[in-house]
Amino acid sequence: MFNESANKLNFHLGLTNLLILVTSGLCVVFAVTAAREGRVAALRNWILAGFVIGAAFGVSKVVEYGDKFADGISMHTNNFYMYYYALTGAHFLHFLGGMGALAFIWVYSLRHAGAPGFRSKIEAVGLYWHMVDLLWILIFPLLYVLGLQWQACP
């Protein structure tokens, strides 16, 4: 049942989501570096890039959930999908919190980029965003890879 259900997940979409989040995380790394160097315009541009790229993950998950619901697949379908929705749903809530934090730090940087404590705020947001990345890096193989039935190419 686990393998059969896992094979119904879109591996390529899960991998794309992984690449989206890691790329967004890289933008946040560049933003934190810019903040440490006092380059306010660069930090704002990198935070915005991280937010926009991260938003693609949100769109992707909404589409994926919509496809599952359209196929009649819910938390109650079987144990695999119960874990799928619990894990990806908890991750999605953390993702939304991270998107809010990125939006907050972008707006906050308009007036407070040079203020005492700003660097610690942007570093905290960066750490949170990386935690969101790390969660997906763990969820992706657990749900999208472990149950795959690998077939040899002819």
Side-chain angles (χ1 to χ4, degrees):
M1 180 264 305
F2 180 91
N3 288 348
E4 183 180 315
S5 297
N7 276 310
K8 292 181 183 173
L9 296 182
N10 186 332
F11 169 81
H12 298 290
L13 188 58
L15 180 61
T16 300
N17 285 336
L18 177 69
L19 296 173
I20 288 169
L21 287 176
V22 169
T23 303
S24 176
L26 183 61
C27 291
V28 172
V29 167
F30 293 148
V32 170
T33 300
R36 289 177 179 163
E37 296 171 353
R39 296 181 296 123
V40 177
L43 101 80
R44 296 189 80 246
N45 288 338
W46 284 118
I47 287 292
L48 183 61
F51 182 89
V52 170
I53 293 168
F57 174 85
V59 170
S60 171
K61 286 312 293 175
V62 167
V63 168
E64 185 177 16
Y65 284 156
D67 289 346
K68 294 285 171 271
F69 291 137
D71 291 339
I73 298 170
S74 73
M75 277 186 101
H76 305 291
T77 301
N78 61 37
N79 284 341
F80 174 84
Y81 285 113
M82 187 269 303
Y83 286 115
Y84 165 80
Y85 281 111
L87 290 170
T88 61
H91 177 265
F92 193 74
L93 290 175
H94 285 88
F95 161 79
L96 291 175
M99 290 294 282
L102 290 175
F104 165 79
I105 205 71
W106 188 83
V107 171
Y108 190 79
S109 71
L110 287 169
R111 295 184 186 226
H112 305 287
F118 177 77
R119 230 174 71 189
S120 63
K121 284 180 179 51
I122 193 168
E123 287 173 355
V125 168
L127 286 172
Y128 183 87
W129 195 243
H130 295 319
M131 181 272 305
V132 171
D133 288 349
L134 181 59
L135 286 175
W136 190 256
I137 289 169
L138 296 172
I139 290 170
F140 171 67
L142 283 173
L143 296 177
Y144 292 80
V145 177
L146 282 180
L148 278 181
Q149 306 234 348
W150 298 95
Q151 298 176 4
C153 295

